[in-house]
Amino acid sequence: MLTEFFQRFLNSQQPTFTPLPGSFPEDEATEPERQRYSVARVQSKLMNILLTPPLMIIYIVFGVMLFIANTLKPVKKLAEYYDNMRIKHSTEHKNQLRTLVETLIQDSARSISPDVVASNSPITHTFSYLYNLQNGIMLPQIVQGGYTDLLRTCTEQGKFALIYLHNPLLFYSLDYVRQVLSNDDVVGMMRRYQVMLWFGDITTPEGLQVANTLKVRQFPFIGFLTIKNDAKFEIICRIEGRLFDFNVASLELKLQQSYSKLIQLRQQRQNRELHRLMVEQDYRFHETLRHDQDRYQVRSGLGENEQQMFDQERIKKEWLLWRKSTLYPEPLQGDICRLNIRTNGGRIVRKFDASLPIEEIYAYVELYMNGMLFSAETYDRPSPPNYNYIYSFKLITPAPRVELDNTKLIRDESAIYPSGTVIVEPPDI
């Protein structure tokens, strides 16, 4: 084959094959025709020789480059994965959450479809607008602590929980960010049901542990949890793997079915807490009553001076109970004065009706300092006790230093109205 090819290439005028016996003789071409045919064949072969090797080289180079790129891409992801593991293991979940949210914001911004940008259609709910940790509209519902903090919050408040587990090694990892977490209907549903949110990365120890606890087999993963009667949680809806048949209406139907049960659990918890508070108040009341009776029995055999002191304490307490019954509740609207009251035991912030005298503030502080403001004791007599009570302190404004006159109206004292700070000091200072 090769010998015949080179013979035909070097000597194109002579046939390189043997005519068959009995064949018809062919018409011999003229000399000019043979020369033109020979030149055309030589030119065609030269073009093949000159063009074929460069094209083959370019084809092979591009094939090798594509092969190297496809081979190194998983290696790069693995390198980033182990680098992130080294960094994230040394931080708490709050820092891990900040890193995850910032990464999702950047990736989702880069992956916005060119068709959406070209159409100039406004993107109402971007991931950054919803979930950034500075001023996102869903920020109040994001639990920035660990997984146990999420369960404790949902248990105490009786709310649903949404858990999103992100896998950065998947090429479709942003499908859930765009189609679920940034979906207008899903966002409205989460705000309507006050769903608490928790984001995790499975490349972190806690994220991987949560995935194992929830028996997640595919990623990304979104699970809606609700509390059961026995203080345990159950998954009422789970979305994992590729998004093929995600339906918002089906998801909301499952939440509606569990919401009535959640409301009942909230009411039960509120009733138990109210019962606990009532039992605690009754216990304190009986303890105080027993203590007063003991003191009365001890002092019943004392002299006249001691008896007068005991009676003084008793009538003083009766006056405080009467003053507690006449204390105005904290106003919510209207002409209000907001005060920051500093005592030796801490700080009190309360609003007062500005049309009342400053004595209202003195009475509130006196009841607070004597531990009677939230006690269960009440004054059950129709008329106030005949007693002139003298407060054991004075209220001072820090700058300028002014002692508050309890006979003036609150609105007439510019040092505290409409807002201010007062300090409780002994009368001898």
Side-chain angles (χ1 to χ4, degrees), residues 174-425:
L174 293 178
D175 290 353
Y176 282 47
V177 174
R178 292 189 298 262
Q179 301 180 37
V180 181
L181 295 178
S182 300
N183 185 291
D184 292 357
D185 296 332
V186 175
V187 171
M189 180 182 60
M190 291 190 297
R191 298 185 69 183
R192 187 163 56 254
Y193 289 102
Q194 297 180 340
V195 180
M196 305 305 296
L197 310 174
W198 190 85
F199 297 157
D201 189 337
I202 66 164
T203 60
T204 63
E206 186 172 21
L208 187 59
Q209 183 179 3
V210 173
N212 293 331
T213 302
L214 301 179
K215 299 180 180 179
V216 180
R217 296 295 177 261
Q218 300 182 62
F219 298 96
F221 170 83
I222 287 180
F224 285 85
L225 280 68
T226 184
I227 189 172
K228 299 196 301 185
N229 291 328
D230 52 356
K232 295 182 179 180
F233 282 81
E234 63 177 348
I235 299 179
I236 58 176
C237 179
R238 58 193 304 147
I239 310 169
E240 52 187 331
R242 298 298 300 270
L243 281 176
F244 294 111
D245 55 351
F246 172 66
N247 190 335
V248 179
S250 175
L251 174 60
E252 185 162 9
L253 179 62
K254 293 180 180 179
L255 291 181
Q256 287 178 353
Q257 294 174 349
S258 302
Y259 190 64
S260 59
K261 182 178 179 181
L262 197 62
I263 293 297
Q264 294 177 359
L265 291 177
R266 289 181 188 174
Q267 188 63 40
Q268 292 174 4
R269 291 180 180 276
Q270 291 177 358
N271 293 338
R272 286 198 297 267
E273 182 65 18
L274 181 61
H275 178 70
R276 185 189 66 81
L277 291 176
M278 293 178 62
V279 170
E280 184 177 351
Q281 289 179 354
D282 289 342
Y283 174 77
R284 291 179 179 177
F285 170 75
H286 289 297
E287 283 293 313
T288 303
L289 180 61
R290 183 181 61 81
H291 181 68
D292 291 343
Q293 291 175 350
D294 292 342
R295 288 198 304 171
Y296 179 78
Q297 292 177 359
V298 169
R299 295 184 179 184
S300 61
L302 299 179
E304 182 179 353
N305 294 333
E306 288 79 1
Q307 185 65 38
Q308 290 179 356
M309 292 178 58
F310 177 76
D311 294 337
Q312 190 77 6
E313 288 291 327
R314 180 180 54 80
I315 196 172
K316 177 181 176 181
K317 184 175 181 180
E318 290 180 356
W319 188 92
L320 288 175
L321 291 175
W322 166 80
R323 191 62 183 87
K324 174 186 172 183
S325 66
T326 60
L327 195 70
Y328 283 82
E330 185 174 10
L332 300 178
Q333 58 184 359
D335 193 7
I336 295 174
C337 172
R338 186 177 185 274
L339 280 184
N340 180 11
I341 305 171
R342 297 180 184 176
T343 67
N344 292 332
R347 183 172 68 97
I348 314 169
V349 178
R350 193 184 189 274
K351 299 174 183 177
F352 293 89
D353 188 343
S355 63
L356 298 175
I358 295 178
E359 192 272 341
E360 181 79 2
I361 305 175
Y362 275 83
Y364 179 86
V365 174
E366 186 71 44
L367 290 169
Y368 176 84
M369 295 177 62
N370 283 274
M372 301 177 63
L373 192 60
F374 303 105
S375 67
E377 296 180 273
T378 58
Y379 185 77
D380 53 0
R381 296 183 183 181
S383 59
N386 185 16
Y387 181 71
N388 183 22
Y389 192 88
I390 300 176
Y391 293 105
S392 59
F393 59 88
K394 60 182 180 179
L395 298 178
I396 305 293
T397 58
R401 186 175 174 82
V402 176
E403 180 179 353
L404 299 185
D405 183 0
N406 60 7
T407 61
K408 292 176 62 176
L409 295 180
I410 296 177
R411 68 160 65 98
D412 295 337
E413 183 56 72
S414 60
I416 60 172
Y417 179 78
S419 63
T421 300
V422 294
I423 302 173
V424 179
E425 294 185 357

Side-chain angles (χ1 to χ4, degrees), residues 91-100 133 144-146 206:
T91 58
E92 297 179 354
H93 179 78
K94 190 172 184 179
N95 296 330
Q96 295 171 2
L97 174 65
R98 182 179 296 107
T99 302
L100 174 60
L133 299 180
Q144 301 189 29
E206 186 172 21

Side-chain angles (χ1 to χ4, degrees), residues 24-142:
F24 293 97
E26 296 180 355
D27 294 336
E28 294 184 359
T30 60
E31 185 66 23
E33 292 177 349
R34 286 197 298 269
Q35 290 180 355
R36 286 196 299 271
Y37 179 72
S38 177
V39 171
R41 293 186 63 189
V42 171
Q43 290 177 349
S44 177
K45 291 178 179 179
L46 288 175
M47 291 294 293
N48 289 336
I49 293 173
L50 294 176
L51 294 179
T52 301
L55 292 177
M56 289 297 297
I57 293 174
I58 293 175
Y59 176 77
I60 293 173
V61 169
F62 273 102
V64 172
M65 291 175 62
L66 289 175
F67 176 77
I68 294 175
N70 292 331
T71 303
L72 293 181
K73 188 175 181 180
V75 175
K76 181 181 177 182
K77 284 191 173 182
L78 286 175
E80 293 177 351
Y81 165 74
Y82 285 110
D83 187 49
N84 291 336
M85 286 284 289
R86 178 181 58 82
I87 296 175
K88 292 177 181 178
H89 282 173
S90 60
T91 58
E92 297 179 354
H93 179 78
K94 190 172 184 179
N95 296 330
Q96 295 171 2
L97 174 65
R98 182 179 296 107
T99 302
L100 174 60
V101 170
E102 291 176 355
T103 302
L104 293 178
I105 289 174
Q106 296 172 2
D107 292 346
S108 61
R110 285 196 299 264
S111 65
I112 295 178
S113 172
D115 298 334
V116 176
V117 178
S119 63
N120 294 325
S121 62
I123 303 175
T124 306
H125 287 158
T126 62
F127 188 83
S128 175
Y129 172 74
L130 293 169
Y131 302 103
N132 74 81
L133 299 180
Q134 283 73 37
N135 54 1
I137 64 172
M138 300 297 289
L139 180 60
Q141 296 175 225
I142 298 178

